[in-house]
Amino acid sequence: MKVDNKYYQTVWMEGTSIYMIEQNLLPFEFKIFESKNYLQTCDAIKTMIVRGAGGVGVSAGFAMAQASIEASNLSKEKYNNYVYTALKNIQATRPTAQNLFMASDKVYEKSLISSEEAILEAQKIAKEDAWASKKIGEYGNEIIKPNSKIATHCNAGWLAFVDYGTALSPIYKANKEGKNIFVWVDETRPRSQGARLTAWELRNENVPHKIIADNATAHLMSRGEIDLIITGADRIVANGDTANKIGTLEKAIAANYYNIPFYIAAPTSTFDIKTKTGKDIIIEERSEDEILYQKGVNSDNKIEKILVASPGSRAFNPAFDVTPAELITGIITEKGIIKPENISEIF
Ligand code: MRU
């Protein structure tokens, strides 16, 4: 997608470096972060310089490729140990998004052949990520009626993938076709991916939108202000239960009560069909500081971190929740739109 008329992808690899849009600085500053080795890439995933299911997946694949390049002058045994340790380190960065495990496993397998094969595989995963997001936009556009008011949670836009995004990809397509849509953007506390990243993306693409407090969605549903909900996913298991950013579950419950279609948009790389139900999904717990403090810019345009809670109180910060399959109207994938109960048909 374009930023100030220049085309960017969220993450890419050139030579031995990985470049990524520094998402902790957005929307206040637009900067590219260069990661020179696989451990730096692991840190970038942990600290969320790069984030979103596709973003962490592609970065994990690239990190694995970096590790294989770093080890390429070692003896066979030392090379194998190095890439295996790298795989374990990469997979310890964040536990919930399936793409991270899918990509690092695939590139690891190729790294056992050669580092050239590992690089090719990592680049292929990045290309497929962008392609799948584009297709999701085409299929998802079919369910968007003219004049729709659509709600979304967190950021499942191009910043969460290599390009286009998932939940936002159909929205971009519908907007380009002049369907006169409007988007309600949940702010998505504690890290505010909605208020900071989704709103920034939608402004860049001239999509009419407003940011709302996370607890305003049910009220808007009760007043007929939401026609459709589309969110992303971090992991979809065999029975259709879906992990996504914390707060998704309560939107799905409210949507069900008010009979509002609730769609998940995700590529098949986010599906984990080896896991049977959502109960077995590991939910990441992040630092309590993300709840106790907020970051923003002051009047001098400098990014500042301020305490926004009662001093001395502790916080609990689960980063994801699981929406049961029965609350999901459909899943928009690059292969078409499927019902959660029909997942096995596309695998
Ligand atoms: O913690 P994050 O920002 O990496 O969260 C992942 C997400 O971006 C969301 O859960 C999103 O809706 C699904 S991933 C495109």
Side-chain angles (χ1 to χ4, degrees), residues 71-112:
S72 54
N73 289 331
L74 301 177
S75 67
K76 183 83 185 143
E77 195 192 336
K78 284 190 175 150
Y79 174 90
N80 284 350
N81 285 340
Y82 193 93
V83 293
Y84 182 73
T85 306
L87 177 71
K88 295 293 146 197
N89 285 335
I90 293 164
Q91 297 196 340
T93 52
R94 295 193 71 189
T96 307
Q98 165 66 6
N99 300 59
L100 188 145
F101 297 87
M102 174 282 297
S104 50
D105 278 338
K106 277 190 172 174
V107 180
Y108 171 72
E109 286 306 319
K110 295 289 181 181
S111 77
L112 297 178

Side-chain angles (χ1 to χ4, degrees), residues 120-255:
L120 283 177
E121 184 67 17
Q123 295 287 13
K124 182 168 162 247
I125 291 168
K127 261 202 191 120
E128 283 169 358
D129 181 276
W131 175 83
S133 292
K134 189 160 189 258
K135 292 300 287 180
I136 285 171
E138 289 164 15
Y139 286 117
N141 179 37
E142 290 168 15
I143 58 161
I144 299 179
K145 297 190 185 113
N147 308 315
S148 289
K149 285 173 276 185
I150 306 164
T152 190
H153 189 63
C154 194
N155 173 264
W158 69 276
L159 290 170
F161 290 84
V162 170
D163 209 350
Y164 303 99
T166 51
L168 295 192
S169 187
I171 287 172
Y172 292 138
K173 181 106 176 108
N175 190 57
K176 280 217 172 88
E177 288 187 0
K179 285 188 175 174
N180 188 36
I181 55 165
F182 178 86
V183 182
W184 294 111
V185 179
D186 286 347
E187 58 180 348
T188 320
R189 292 290 179 105
R191 290 189 67 99
S192 303
Q193 289 96 328
R196 295 193 302 110
L197 306 176
T198 297
W200 180 81
E201 282 196 28
L202 294 177
R203 263 202 87 190
N204 284 346
E205 293 300 310
N206 294 315
V207 180
H209 67 280
K210 274 188 183 161
I211 300 164
I212 48 172
D214 289 321
N215 37 15
T217 331
H219 165 67
L220 291 173
M221 289 181 196
S222 76
R223 297 289 167 102
E225 290 294 331
I226 298 177
D227 303 307
L228 170 69
I229 301 181
I230 312 179
T231 77
D234 293 273
R235 187 180 293 247
I236 302 170
V237 298
N239 73 343
D241 292 352
T242 296
N244 193 50
K245 181 55 57 193
I246 192 80
T248 305
L249 171 60
E250 57 191 50
K251 314 297 168 214
I253 294 169

Side-chain angles (χ1 to χ4, degrees), residues 229-335:
I229 301 181
I230 312 179
T231 77
D234 293 273
R235 187 180 293 247
I236 302 170
V237 298
N239 73 343
D241 292 352
T242 296
N244 193 50
K245 181 55 57 193
I246 192 80
T248 305
L249 171 60
E250 57 191 50
K251 314 297 168 214
I253 294 169
N256 186 261
Y257 182 83
Y258 287 108
N259 255 320
I260 296 167
F262 179 89
Y263 281 87
I264 294 285
T268 47
S269 51
T270 301
F271 287 67
D272 163 16
I273 49 162
K274 286 195 189 127
T275 300
K276 297 222 158 32
T277 77
K279 282 201 192 81
D280 295 320
I281 300 177
I282 299 171
I283 300 296
E284 177 181 11
E285 278 174 33
R286 294 190 59 87
S287 158
E288 59 185 326
D289 276 11
E290 292 183 350
I291 291 181
L292 302 175
Y293 295 85
Q294 288 287 308
K295 273 187 193 161
V297 286
N298 62 20
S299 50
D300 296 327
N301 232 12
K302 291 252 163 4
I303 296 178
E304 259 182 21
K305 182 177 168 182
I306 56 162
L307 180 67
V308 292
S310 174
S313 288
R314 303 287 310 267
F316 173 56
N317 187 12
F320 301 95
D321 56 29
V322 177
T323 299
E326 67 257 31
L327 298 180
I328 299 168
T329 311
I331 307 174
I332 310 163
T333 77
E334 76 278 21
K335 297 186 179 180

